[in-house]
Amino acid sequence: MYDYLIVGSGLFGSVFAHEAKEAGKTCLVVERRSHLGGNVYCEEKEGIHIHKYGAHIFHTSFREVWEYVNRFVEFNHYVNSPVANYKGELYNLPFNMNTFSKLWGVVTPKEAQERIAGQRLAVKGEPKNLEEQAISLVGTDIYQKLIKGYTEKQWGRDCRELPAFIIKRLPVRYTFDNNYFNDRYQGIPIGGYNRLIEALLEGIEVRLGVDFNEHRGELSALAEKIVYTGAIDAYFDNSLGRLEYRGLRFETERLEEENHQGVAVMNFTEREIPYTRSIEHKHFEFGTQPVTYVTKEYPADWRPGEEAYYPVNDARNQALYERYAAMAAEEKNVIFGGRLAEYKYYDMDDVVLSALQTVRKEMGAGL
Ligand code: FAD
Ligand code: UDP
């Protein structure tokens, strides 16, 4: 009998398993996919780490989280500075003085602020949706060229039907600073994310290719408690109806050239191009290989049985999630954690912090 059966080997499951083992508990991890790591998994080809499930840049302002992950793997000094491509015009992201200057020819922060102040008058009162939030942050020109098309492809719905918080993830700055994040710490694990996951799970038994929801009876009998990091609606057999997720499709190409796009992440912001991002993986690690691998990321409707990449946190789904969360709270001996079980737009650092807090509470209670 194990102390914990951990469903999912993503960051939440791996951090929980590691800390539980350190506290003297026995753990069994079951993972549906054929590899460890969930969405941070990388595949190595010709010395290049390919981010199989989309570009992953670790960034955090939680010092504790940064120190924690650095115990397992060293991080490089990569700073994410994506470039937006709108019909062949290139703009720096996030929205900053380089973007404003290219777009309007403005030179000073004051001129940029005046432009945006004039355009934001289009929104009256508190922004009620993503469109209003975007216009009130950066005005109508940037909304039309750099936000509307990208967002509607990404989420498969009109910007007026999306929650405002999604666009607040992006900084807006009146300085010449192309760092996509405001966080204090940032980088990519040297040698790839798999190293982090392998170090966390060292000495812990893992069974790959096992779907908990298909073998629930026999697996539950193996442990005192379960830590579940899969989709919360799937755990309850979708008994209240399905939550919506956003899907993705990735197309990776090997190119016989050293440097294809000159940047790790290029965003294609016009509606007509069906993909949102093109990722040239070698640039995450300053690679100098003679070849390169480039992945196009196509947003897609999510269908049952496919990987669920993003929760769709609109009012309807959020209300349904709350009902599942109430059922989860009644579930004896099961801990629900991570992006899918909490139906939250978590970044990696949020997941690590949440797992650390959960496991500490749990170990404290168990001692
Ligand atoms: P997951 O990584 O999804 O792990 C859950 C695991 O559980 C999976 O391996 C899954 O196969 C397994 N599982 C699910 N159900 C079952 C079951 N029934 N039985 C067995 N196993 C099961 N965050 C950042 O901080 N920076 C970024 O740049 C960034 N970029 C991202 C880009 C994309 C395209 C996406 C989708 C996410 C990105 N994220 C980023 C978010 C990041 O991926 C997540 O915060 C983090 O990986 C979530 O970890 P997790 O353990 O909660 O979930
Ligand atoms: N976004 C946009 N244009 C861009 C980049 C992002 O409009 O060039 C919007 C889009 O709605 C996206 C949100 O900002 O969903 C958050 O972007 P982020 O890069 O944080 O998305 P993620 O990496 O989580 O997919």
Side-chain angles (χ1 to χ4, degrees):
M1 190 83 166
Y2 297 91
D3 293 313
Y4 293 96
L5 172 77
I6 294 164
V7 179
S9 65
L11 272 174
F12 192 99
S14 300
V15 168
F16 190 101
H18 181 85
E19 293 302 306
K21 176 173 177 275
E22 289 289 290
K25 306 291 181 185
T26 52
C27 299
L28 170 65
V29 176
V30 293
E31 168 57 58
R32 190 170 63 180
R33 300 185 202 180
S34 60
H35 58 75
L36 299 175
N39 287 340
V40 307
Y41 171 73
C42 295
E43 194 173 275
E44 186 175 335
K45 289 222 166 113
E46 299 179 73
I48 299 171
H49 296 108
I50 297 173
H51 295 208
K52 275 296 264 193
Y53 302 98
H56 276 76
I57 301 106
F58 202 99
H59 56 97
T60 189
S61 289
F62 302 120
R63 181 171 173 172
E64 182 200 358
V65 169
W66 183 244
E67 286 173 355
Y68 184 79
V69 293
N70 274 274
R71 272 170 45 196
F72 301 96
V73 63
E74 199 180 337
F75 281 67
N76 71 16
H77 65 283
Y78 176 81
V79 171
N80 200 32
S81 309
V83 171
N85 183 327
Y86 175 76
K87 300 187 194 254
E89 294 168 23
L90 301 186
Y91 295 95
N92 288 113
L93 292 173
F95 312 121
N96 75 85
M97 281 304 294
N98 292 307
T99 330
F100 308 144
S101 150
K102 176 88 186 264
L103 190 62
W104 298 312
V106 295
V107 172
T108 64
K110 186 159 176 284
E111 285 175 276
Q113 278 158 351
E114 281 167 5
R115 283 270 181 168
I116 290 173
Q119 297 188 6
R120 83 159 54 101
L121 296 175
V123 177
K124 310 263 178 277
E126 272 296 296
K128 287 182 289 297
N129 53 48
L130 195 150
E131 175 173 295
E132 292 188 3
Q133 182 67 67
I135 294 173
S136 87
L137 282 172
V138 288
T140 44
D141 288 349
I142 292 181
Y143 173 67
Q144 289 298 343
K145 284 194 164 180
L146 303 183
I147 297 177
K148 190 175 186 328
Y150 184 101
T151 300
E152 294 186 352
K153 295 193 274 200
Q154 167 75 359
W155 296 100
R157 58 184 72 187
D158 196 280
C159 286
R160 281 165 297 201
E161 289 164 26
L162 285 165
F165 84 87
I166 292 178
I167 199 69
K168 285 205 208 151
R169 287 171 58 85
L170 308 191
V172 179
R173 297 193 191 106
Y174 293 91
T175 52
F176 292 90
D177 178 357
N178 297 329
N179 184 346
Y180 199 60
F181 304 112
N182 280 329
D183 285 323
R184 170 72 181 79
Y185 309 102
Q186 181 171 179
I188 301 284
I190 296 175
Y193 283 93
N194 299 2
R195 284 206 177 165
L196 171 61
I197 298 292
E198 282 159 14
L200 284 165
L201 290 178
E202 200 184 320
I204 294 168
E205 191 183 338
V206 182
R207 295 187 196 164
L208 295 175
V210 177
D211 189 325
F212 171 77
N213 293 327
E214 285 171 12
H215 305 276
R216 194 174 307 195
E218 60 205 86
L219 288 171
S220 302
L222 297 179
E224 301 282 346
K225 269 194 158 182
I226 295 169
V227 176
Y228 181 83
T229 75
I232 189 164
D233 52 347
Y235 180 91
F236 292 107
D237 295 324
N238 310 301
S239 55
L240 303 176
R242 283 187 195 279
L243 288 163
E244 278 180 281
Y245 301 91
R246 196 67 186 139
L248 291 173
R249 187 168 58 79
F250 298 101
E251 268 179 21
T252 301
E253 266 183 304
R254 176 186 189 275
L255 300 173
E256 291 274 354
E257 56 183 315
E258 198 186 320
N259 183 5
H260 180 64
Q261 62 186 31
V263 68
V265 182
M266 186 169 281
N267 289 5
F268 288 81
T269 59
E270 70 201 77
R271 186 70 200 243
E272 292 69 27
I273 290 184
Y275 45 89
T276 46
R277 296 190 269 219
S278 164
I279 310 299
E280 188 169 10
H281 303 270
K282 70 191 309 181
H283 296 308
F284 288 124
E285 298 178 70
F286 318 106
T288 54
Q289 299 83 351
V291 298
T292 194
Y293 284 81
V294 175
T295 302
K296 293 194 174 78
E297 188 176 316
Y298 294 81
D301 288 335
W302 175 83
R303 285 183 200 82
E306 297 174 352
E307 290 304 338
Y309 288 101
Y310 294 90
V312 180
N313 296 102
D314 62 7
R316 190 195 79 83
N317 284 295
Q318 205 51 38
L320 181 56
Y321 165 71
E322 301 300 339
R323 293 174 58 211
Y324 276 119
M327 285 169 75
E330 296 296 313
E331 198 72 359
K332 293 262 177 306
N333 297 326
V334 186
I335 296 167
F336 293 80
R339 212 182 211 211
L340 296 171
E342 296 181 62
Y343 201 65
K344 266 202 186 140
Y345 199 158
Y346 269 151
D347 282 323
M348 289 181 278
D349 63 327
D350 302 318
V351 169
V352 170
L353 185 67
S354 166
L356 284 173
Q357 287 169 342
T358 307
V359 72
R360 282 185 193 141
K361 194 163 147 225
E362 181 65 18
M363 293 306 118
L367 292 174

